[in-house]
Amino acid sequence: MKPSLGIALWLSLVGAAFSWLSCTPGDITATGPYNLGYGDSILYLRNQADDYIVYPLEKRPGTYTGFPDGIEIDENSGAINVSKSETGLRYRITHTAPGGTQTSVTVVLSGINFTDKFYRLSQHDSIAFPVYNALESRLLPVAGSVFDEGGQANGSGCDVKTVNGQINLAQSVRNGLFGNTPSNDDRRDIDIIYRLNDQSGKAVNKIRVRLYYYTSMATVAPDLLQTLQDREELGVFLRSIPIISYPAAGIDHARLLREARPRPPCVIIIAN
């Protein structure tokens, strides 16, 4: 028996609904609570010719933003261009629905970073250790990895260990990184090209590190002290107050967006 016209129409509508609900990642899906996510909390670079782009598993109407500065994200689709983003950092992705409801998730773009820090050579504090995947306790996969590929950093005088990515700051000064007679507020931007033996498949990665030289803490430039204070207070590394709480905490949101730049990391050498 053939179904009546009304039943046939109902079946057609049900089929269309199921087809809509089974759309591919990146399409607009059902309403209700938004489980914003990218399939994994850590996104790795890939060895491929084209940019590696990761889409949210479920897309909703509204806008997407990333914090802090350094992540390349499409505000309409939430797509993250991993290839064009600063790696080695943790970011908070926030979706704002047309009605104003916000949903956030944190993701790490795999790679290394260096902690903003004062290194006191007179106290034998002379090694800058790379931080892997935004967590100091994570074990860096050194076996099979390559650091300072091409030797650009070491060629400039910056002593980067090719087996583990550690920077010997005392040796860098002796190598003449800041010249024969270093002066206060001397600074050098060093690019370190590396490949990690992890899920990135040894894809080429890069970090720019800014090294400063001062004879003592008393000679450190005020603007540099302010930069480090801003990075800590504004939660650039997402260690402090969640972004959605900033207005309630009385922090200037415009200043937050202006100052929240975690790169390049500041490695500050204090001689005495």
Side-chain angles (χ1 to χ4, degrees):
M1 177 183 296
K2 293 184 178 180
S4 65
L5 181 60
I7 294 176
L9 179 60
W10 180 82
L11 290 173
S12 175
L13 291 174
V14 169
F18 274 108
S19 174
W20 178 75
L21 288 172
S22 62
C23 55
T24 59
D27 293 337
I28 297 176
T29 59
T31 58
Y34 189 8
N35 185 25
L36 176 60
Y38 289 83
D40 202 338
S41 59
I42 301 178
L43 305 180
Y44 295 82
L45 283 171
R46 288 189 177 178
N47 270 314
Q48 58 184 53
D50 299 328
D51 287 350
Y52 177 45
I53 299 175
V54 182
Y55 292 85
L57 297 180
E58 178 187 354
K59 180 179 177 293
R60 294 288 182 93
T63 57
Y64 295 81
T65 56
F67 176 90
D69 183 65
I71 190 166
E72 189 78 19
I73 184 169
D74 186 283
E75 66 174 7
N76 296 313
S77 68
I80 298 173
N81 189 325
V82 181
S83 301
K84 291 185 177 177
S85 299
E86 293 281 359
T87 56
L89 297 173
R90 178 179 288 104
Y91 297 94
R92 186 183 301 277
I93 310 302
T94 299
H95 171 265
T96 303
T101 301
Q102 290 191 329
T103 305
S104 295
V105 67
T106 59
V107 296
V108 172
L109 302 192
S110 179
I112 64 171
N113 192 27
F114 289 88
T115 305
D116 296 314
K117 181 183 172 183
F118 296 100
Y119 294 83
R120 299 171 183 264
L121 301 188
S122 62
Q123 298 178 14
H124 307 291
D125 181 19
S126 63
I127 304 297
F129 295 91
V131 177
Y132 176 55
N133 286 0
L135 190 63
E136 291 180 346
S137 62
R138 265 200 188 101
L139 187 63
L140 180 66
V142 294
S145 296
V146 178
F147 300 91
D148 193 27
E149 183 173 78
Q152 180 179 348
N154 277 283
S156 70
C158 185
D159 190 82
V160 178
K161 302 305 179 186
T162 57
V163 294
N164 57 21
Q166 296 175 14
I167 304 175
N168 188 319
L169 303 175
Q171 187 60 48
S172 297
V173 175
R174 290 192 291 267
N175 288 347
L177 176 63
F178 300 99
N180 293 328
T181 307
S183 301
N184 285 320
D185 204 34
D186 276 351
R187 63 191 71 183
R188 299 289 186 272
D189 283 348
I190 304 298
D191 289 334
I192 301 174
I193 298 173
Y194 63 96
R195 298 175 185 263
L196 295 177
N197 186 21
D198 59 9
Q199 290 175 250
S200 68
K202 297 187 181 181
V204 176
N205 211 329
K206 183 178 77 171
I207 181 173
R208 173 166 292 178
V209 184
R210 180 164 295 168
L211 292 92
Y212 295 81
Y213 179 89
Y214 293 96
T215 55
S216 67
M217 283 297 300
T219 60
V220 176
D223 64 329
L224 181 57
L225 292 171
Q226 185 64 52
T227 295
L228 265 65
Q229 181 178 335
D230 286 341
R231 290 184 178 184
E232 182 64 28
E233 290 184 355
L234 298 178
V236 166
F237 297 102
L238 304 181
R239 296 183 188 131
S240 55
I241 312 167
I243 292 174
I244 57 175
S245 301
Y246 276 119
I251 295 177
D252 185 341
H253 191 67
R255 178 171 175 266
L256 166 69
L257 296 178
R258 183 175 65 252
E259 301 293 345
R261 297 184 178 91
R263 288 291 173 80
C266 298
V267 172
I268 308 164
I269 301 170
I270 308 297
N272 302 304

